[in-house]
Amino acid sequence: MLGHETTPVTTGTRGRDEVFQVEEHGIDPIPDAERHGSAKDVFWLWFGSNLTFTYVINGALAVAFGLSFWQATAVVVIGGLSFLAIGAAGLSGVRTGTATLVISRAAFGRRGNWPAGLLNWIVSIGYTIVNTVVGTLALEAFFADLGWNGGGHASRALALAVTLVLTFAVALWGHATVQFAERWMAYVLAAGFAALLVLVLPGADTSAPAAAPGASGWSLAFVVMLAGPFSYLPMPADYTRYLPRTTSLKAVTWSGALGGFVSSVALGVAGVAAATQTDMTDAVAGTESLLPGWFQPLFLALVLGGSVTNSIITLYSSSLNLQVLGIPWTRARTLVISAAVTAAGSLGALFLTDFTTSLLSFLSLLIIVFAPWGGVFLADMVLRRCTYDSAALHATTGGAYGYRSGWHPAGLTALLCGLLFSALTCDSELWTGPLVAPLGGADLTLLGAGVSALVYVLLARGRVRPIRP
């Protein structure tokens, strides 16, 4: 007999997924009568949330690894194509009406899914802290351009408060407000970043570098460009679960892919162009030096806006993530936990000690986990043809995904194989795998996704089948 839902039932009227009203649903399945929206909503979500300065930094790093303008641009474009996987991962939300990390119980089992859920929460909070710090510093610089530094840390404290409030308020209201904010902020940010591209691109140095980048330069550039999209893999269904079941799955895939592709590629190319003209060790200061004085305050506002749009979706998903981990609170209450940890981490980074660089290194290392995790999840989705027993996904005991005491041997074995491959071939500041040197310095961490997917298909094929109505 199936168990109870992992999320407590909220009293009051259900189904109020409306702008500027607190969303009452969490990871519980969205009833068909309460579903709404269309595939174009997915475009605006991924387009708006990826209008973030992070991609400018990533493009600049590709040049720093020794790639020419055209080589780095090719890496940026290929990295943008990876949003096809993000768009496809959202299909499971349309079919089940629930969050990605609930659906992944089908691949790993209820208990086997818990470790990845915990790591994903840590990663989402880590990225939210990084974005909050970047947005805060940009707003502080904006205050300075206006002639106010507040004395001491006052202006930085105010900048942090504003950044946190903008992020927390939207995420607290929930799904409808997140979609609304991402769309309307995208209009403004797209216009601003388009102007940035027009100002920076003409001065790009398109000549070939003095020396070839080598395997190390190419692989590190790909890791940097693909790590961002891969970090989204545990999220897409969170934003498609309200779409009607009749929504075209092809339209959902292409809308999500196009949204992420356009914004990430445009900003990545801007970073590549900037890096061929100036020192981008401090990417914000480096880019700002290439801009006319009248545009510099607007540029800082763009950095702030991009940080907020990206933080909103990671913070929102983190609240669902905590429900998956078993915290028996509503989505709005679990969001307070994530917001409090984000605020504490941001305070530490800005006022107590500079651990932002260390945090980024730690987060980049976690691609060792999420590349293989994504490989198993997507392979499972394909084998099942994106059909699931929705009730069994939420059962606490028994059911189609009970497996062996809540652990799915095929999924966990495939995950471990992918983890091992990624760890052996990873080249980061915190860990260098023993196979990196024999491979000529190449970092093949991301291929862990292919390894885990292949192993999962070999072990689960014939056992994992679509659920027939």
Side-chain angles (χ1 to χ4, degrees), residues 21 28 34 38 47 53 84 173 177 192 213 233 368 378 419:
Q21 295 194 19
D28 52 304
E34 298 174 17
S38 64
F47 178 71
F53 193 71
L84 276 169
W173 273 317
T177 311
L233 277 173
I368 290 176
L378 292 174
L419 286 171

Side-chain angles (χ1 to χ4, degrees), residues 368 420-427 431-442:
I368 290 176
L420 179 61
F421 178 88
S422 293
L424 291 174
T425 59
C426 175
D427 183 14
W431 166 259
T432 300
L435 295 183
V436 172
L439 290 170

Side-chain angles (χ1 to χ4, degrees), residues 119-133:
L119 281 173
N120 181 66
W121 182 79
I122 294 172
V123 170
S124 64
I125 293 300
Y127 276 122
T128 306
I129 291 172
V130 171
N131 277 320
T132 299
V133 169

Side-chain angles (χ1 to χ4, degrees), residues 195-196 198-200 287-299:
L196 173 70
V198 169
L199 292 170
V200 172
T287 305
E288 192 175 14
S289 69
L290 299 173
L291 303 173
W294 62 267
F295 191 77
Q296 290 176 5
L298 296 176
F299 166 68

Side-chain angles (χ1 to χ4, degrees), residues 235-249:
M235 299 183 190
D238 302 0
Y239 304 101
T240 58
R241 70 195 203 280
Y242 276 93
L243 293 178
R245 292 181 191 272
T246 54
T247 306
S248 166
L249 299 186

Side-chain angles (χ1 to χ4, degrees), residues 25-403:
H25 282 295
I27 61 172
D28 52 304
I30 308 300
D32 288 348
E34 298 174 17
R35 296 199 186 190
H36 59 89
S38 64
K40 66 181 179 181
D41 296 332
V42 183
F43 169 86
W44 288 111
L45 177 93
W46 292 113
F47 178 71
S49 62
N50 284 284
L51 286 169
T52 173
F53 193 71
T54 302
Y55 289 106
V56 176
I57 299 174
N58 291 346
L61 284 173
V63 175
F65 294 142
L67 275 65
S68 70
F69 174 86
W70 294 113
Q71 290 170 335
T73 297
V75 172
V76 168
V77 172
I78 294 172
L81 292 174
S82 65
F83 276 96
L84 276 169
I86 305 305
L91 303 182
S92 54
V94 179
R95 287 284 177 84
T96 63
T98 192
T100 306
L101 283 170
V102 174
I103 300 164
S104 62
R105 291 169 175 169
F108 301 102
R110 279 185 302 276
R111 293 181 178 175
N113 189 57
W114 199 91
L118 177 61
L119 281 173
N120 181 66
W121 182 79
I122 294 172
V123 170
S124 64
I125 293 300
Y127 276 122
T128 306
I129 291 172
V130 171
N131 277 320
T132 299
V133 169
V134 171
T136 297
L137 294 176
L139 185 55
E140 182 185 27
F142 182 77
F143 289 157
D145 285 347
L146 295 178
W148 182 70
N149 57 25
H153 293 303
S155 61
R156 178 170 292 188
L158 176 61
L160 174 60
V162 171
T163 305
L164 285 172
V165 168
L166 288 173
T167 304
F168 176 72
V170 175
L172 179 65
W173 273 317
H175 175 267
T177 311
V178 168
Q179 296 274 18
F180 175 84
E182 294 290 349
R183 179 168 187 160
W184 286 97
M185 290 179 74
Y187 293 153
V188 177
L189 292 174
F193 278 119
L196 173 70
L197 191 60
V198 169
L199 292 170
V200 172
L201 192 57
D205 179 4
T206 58
S207 61
S216 176
W218 280 104
S219 64
L220 289 173
F222 274 113
V223 167
V224 165
M225 292 309 304
L226 293 171
F230 267 81
S231 71
Y232 291 133
L233 277 173
M235 299 183 190
D238 302 0
Y239 304 101
T240 58
R241 70 195 203 280
Y242 276 93
L243 293 178
R245 292 181 191 272
T246 54
T247 306
S248 166
L249 299 186
K250 182 182 295 185
V252 170
T253 300
W254 284 106
S255 293
L258 185 62
F261 176 85
V262 172
S263 50
S264 65
V265 169
L267 296 188
V269 171
V272 172
T276 64
Q277 303 172 64
T278 189
D279 180 11
M280 291 286 282
T281 304
D282 182 338
V284 174
T287 305
E288 192 175 14
S289 69
L290 299 173
L291 303 173
W294 62 267
F295 191 77
Q296 290 176 5
L298 296 176
F299 166 68
L300 294 173
L302 290 174
V303 176
L304 169 64
S307 297
V308 170
T309 59
N310 197 258
S311 292
I312 285 170
I313 67 165
T314 54
L315 191 61
Y316 175 82
S317 286
S318 74
S319 65
L320 300 177
N321 198 159
L322 288 176
Q323 288 189 318
V324 173
L325 293 176
I327 294 181
W329 290 1
T330 62
R331 182 203 60 82
R333 290 179 65 188
T334 57
L335 183 73
V336 175
I337 298 175
S338 295
V341 175
T342 298
S346 301
L347 282 168
L350 290 165
F351 296 103
L352 300 180
T353 181
D354 183 13
F355 65 82
T356 305
T357 301
S358 299
L359 179 62
L360 281 169
S361 298
F362 171 67
L363 293 174
S364 66
L365 188 63
L366 288 180
I367 194 68
I368 290 176
V369 176
F370 285 102
W373 184 93
V376 175
F377 176 75
L378 292 174
D380 180 77
M381 191 176 77
V382 170
L383 289 178
R384 297 180 192 278
R385 297 181 185 175
C386 203
T387 61
Y388 302 88
D389 183 336
S390 186
L393 288 173
H394 294 268
T396 55
T397 58
Y401 312 120
Y403 302 119

